[in-house]
Amino acid sequence: MRSCISIVIKNNEIVMKINEEMSQKSVLESIKKKITEIKKIRKENDFPLFVTGKVLSNEEIEEIENIIKEKIDIQVNFDSPKILGLHGIKKAFNKEIAISETKFHRGALRSRTKN
């Protein structure tokens, strides 16, 4: 089983990447387990926390932020699917395609009219 959350330091911020395939319940449990690791990094560096990876709803963002801020005084920023650019568009597209009933066709599509 892949790890639900990974934590690294990049560009003067603590980056917490959430596995896109995990349920919100698994994510919240993993965050509770990783709080001590985030606290340790936060003591050594005064960096903000940047949460990325999974496309989150507003409710999910609020739940995650509440769990983190309850234990640590840290600025929390979230990667939003509304961000312009290929990465943001790709994540939003992949999330929406799972619930879409649209049919996609690869290849040429032609129409002919009968006379």
Side-chain angles (χ1 to χ4, degrees):
M1 182 173 146
R2 288 181 54 192
S3 177
C4 189
I5 293 177
S6 63
I7 299 173
V8 294
I9 298 176
K10 282 187 182 175
N11 302 328
N12 296 330
E13 61 186 1
I14 303 165
V15 178
M16 180 169 72
K17 184 169 182 178
I18 300 173
N19 186 337
E20 294 179 18
E21 300 167 358
M22 295 298 169
S23 69
Q24 180 69 1
K25 183 179 178 184
S26 299
V27 169
L28 295 176
E29 289 174 7
S30 294
I31 288 173
K32 288 176 184 175
K33 292 176 184 175
K34 296 277 188 173
I35 286 288
T36 54
E37 185 179 338
I38 297 169
K39 276 185 183 178
K40 183 179 176 186
I41 294 170
R42 175 71 173 161
K43 283 182 184 178
E44 296 169 3
N45 307 295
D46 191 28
F47 297 151
L49 179 66
F50 182 69
V51 181
T52 187
K54 183 177 178 181
V55 178
L56 300 166
S57 70
N58 289 338
E59 292 171 6
E60 292 171 332
I61 288 172
E62 192 174 310
E63 286 178 326
I64 291 170
E65 191 170 24
N66 288 340
I67 287 175
I68 294 169
K69 292 219 175 205
E70 184 179 295
K71 303 287 183 183
I72 308 170
D73 181 29
I74 190 170
Q75 178 186 346
V76 182
N77 301 316
F78 290 86
D79 183 16
S80 172
K82 295 174 186 162
I83 294 174
L84 295 177
L86 182 60
H87 182 68
I89 293 168
K90 198 173 188 182
K91 283 181 15 181
F93 177 77
N94 287 338
K95 180 74 174 178
E96 294 299 318
I97 196 75
I99 58 173
S100 175
E101 293 181 14
T102 304
K103 305 260 188 227
F104 290 94
H105 173 74
R106 181 175 295 224
L109 189 62
R110 299 180 56 178
S111 93
R112 292 194 177 168
T113 58
K114 293 184 179 182
N115 289 336

